[in-house]
Amino acid sequence: MAQRVSSSRQHDFLLLTLAGALTVVAGLAGIVEGLVRVVPNRDVPVTVDLADVPHELLLDGSVAAEATEAVVRVSALGPVPYMLVVAAALLPAITLLVVAVCFALLGRSFYRGDFFTRGNLVALNAAAAALGAGAVVIPTLEGTAASSALVNAGAESGQAMVLGLDMTMLLAGLLLAAVGYAFQRGARLKRDTEGLV
Amino acid sequence: MPVDDEARVHCRLDELLTERGMTLARLAELVGVTVVNLSVLKNDRARAIRFSTLTAVCDVLQCEVGDLLVVTPRE
């Protein structure tokens, strides 16, 4: 059953819906941009982490800097390295898209006055799962793609698979999962009080 | 409590109101509960009732809990 929502709150929920919808558009643009970057299989830019062997640089001949990342352009990648590079380029935008769709759906649902519904619970859990999985899969894919691209280009990196973890994304996922759990309890409470007079 | 047993509780609010010549709206006003909630109770769609609602309704209608709620026998 929909609950009455004050007009100021409705305004907030409308903003949440719009922000979600705009982020969906940004996610779609990110997917297209990622595809344009890595298709076709020629001069594909692959970001390589140099954190283990940082390179000293001199900017403008006077400013000292340290390079911790480099972009390597590789062509004619093998099928597996190329798929890894494509996946690494697209997955961040896809994760953003999934989370944004969930937030847009939540905003729309809140705007209508529906809070502890099964749909909202699914949206929250989906966003949490996307962030949690992305926290491990995105950095791992990026590292592995860079490693395999280097191997394909003839520069031996020594690692077939590079495990990574994005702590910020993981914490955001855990936070959303906690909110999802609270929603689950709220949904149960609502079910228990339905028909109470 | 098994779910089926909820449907066995019958609320005699309609009969009590008729006997006292009182409307549901007036009862809602006196009890301080919305007409919608009392309508849910009257039509046996309520699944639970607060003690505060029960005592307030009984006070206004000057009846006992057993006059308001009856359990129908199992079929």
Side-chain angles (χ1 to χ4, degrees):
Chain A
M1 191 170 65
Q3 291 174 34
R4 196 178 290 269
V5 181
S6 69
S7 58
S8 63
R9 279 275 173 247
Q10 272 195 325
H11 182 73
D12 294 344
F13 297 146
L14 191 62
L15 278 179
L16 176 66
T17 312
L18 286 174
L22 283 175
T23 316
V24 168
V25 175
L28 286 171
I31 290 174
V32 173
E33 190 263 335
L35 278 174
V36 167
R37 197 153 35 94
V38 297
V39 177
N41 190 357
R42 194 173 57 243
D43 287 337
V44 179
V46 179
T47 305
V48 179
D49 189 11
L50 302 175
D52 293 338
V53 276
H55 288 53
E56 300 290 334
L57 294 176
L58 264 184
L59 301 177
D60 291 335
S62 59
V63 182
E66 191 177 74
T68 56
E69 268 187 6
V71 176
V72 179
R73 293 194 176 275
V74 283
S75 296
L77 284 164
V80 174
Y82 187 55
M83 288 313 292
L84 283 170
V85 169
V86 171
L90 298 185
L91 204 61
I94 291 171
T95 307
L96 178 71
L97 188 70
V98 171
V99 174
V101 165
C102 291
F103 272 86
L105 290 175
L106 279 173
R108 192 185 69 158
S109 191
F110 290 172
Y111 179 76
R112 289 174 170 176
D114 296 327
F115 292 93
F116 296 115
T117 63
R118 186 170 172 75
N120 288 352
L121 189 60
V122 169
L124 265 175
N125 285 338
L131 285 172
V136 178
V137 176
I138 291 173
T140 300
L141 255 182
E142 285 174 347
T144 307
S147 178
S148 57
L150 284 177
V151 170
N152 195 83
E156 194 64 52
S157 72
Q159 275 182 295
M161 188 173 178
V162 181
L163 284 175
L165 180 66
D166 187 329
M167 279 305 288
T168 310
M169 201 186 270
L170 183 67
L171 286 175
L174 289 175
L175 189 67
L176 270 188
V179 175
Y181 180 69
F183 257 72
Q184 193 179 356
R185 297 300 297 259
R188 190 182 301 168
L189 190 65
K190 187 191 165 207
R191 200 170 56 241
D192 286 348
T193 55
E194 264 174 356
L196 175 68
V197 294
Chain B
M1 187 173 71
V3 177
D4 287 351
D5 284 354
E6 287 171 359
R8 292 178 53 218
V9 177
H10 169 61
C11 181
R12 295 186 59 250
L13 190 58
D14 209 17
E15 293 99 304
L16 292 172
L17 284 172
T18 308
E19 284 169 16
R20 286 152 181 77
M22 191 185 286
T23 64
L24 198 66
R26 178 64 183 148
L27 179 65
E29 200 181 307
L30 294 171
V31 170
V33 175
T34 63
V35 178
V36 174
N37 269 351
L38 282 185
S39 178
V40 167
L41 186 63
K42 184 175 76 99
N43 295 316
D44 288 338
R45 282 188 284 113
R47 290 168 63 193
I49 182 166
R50 287 190 183 90
F51 282 171
S52 57
T53 307
L54 195 57
T55 47
V57 170
C58 287
D59 281 349
V60 171
L61 296 178
Q62 293 183 318
C63 65
E64 292 298 317
V65 174
D67 299 328
L68 184 66
L69 301 173
V70 290
V71 180
T72 56
R74 284 183 198 277
E75 289 176 0

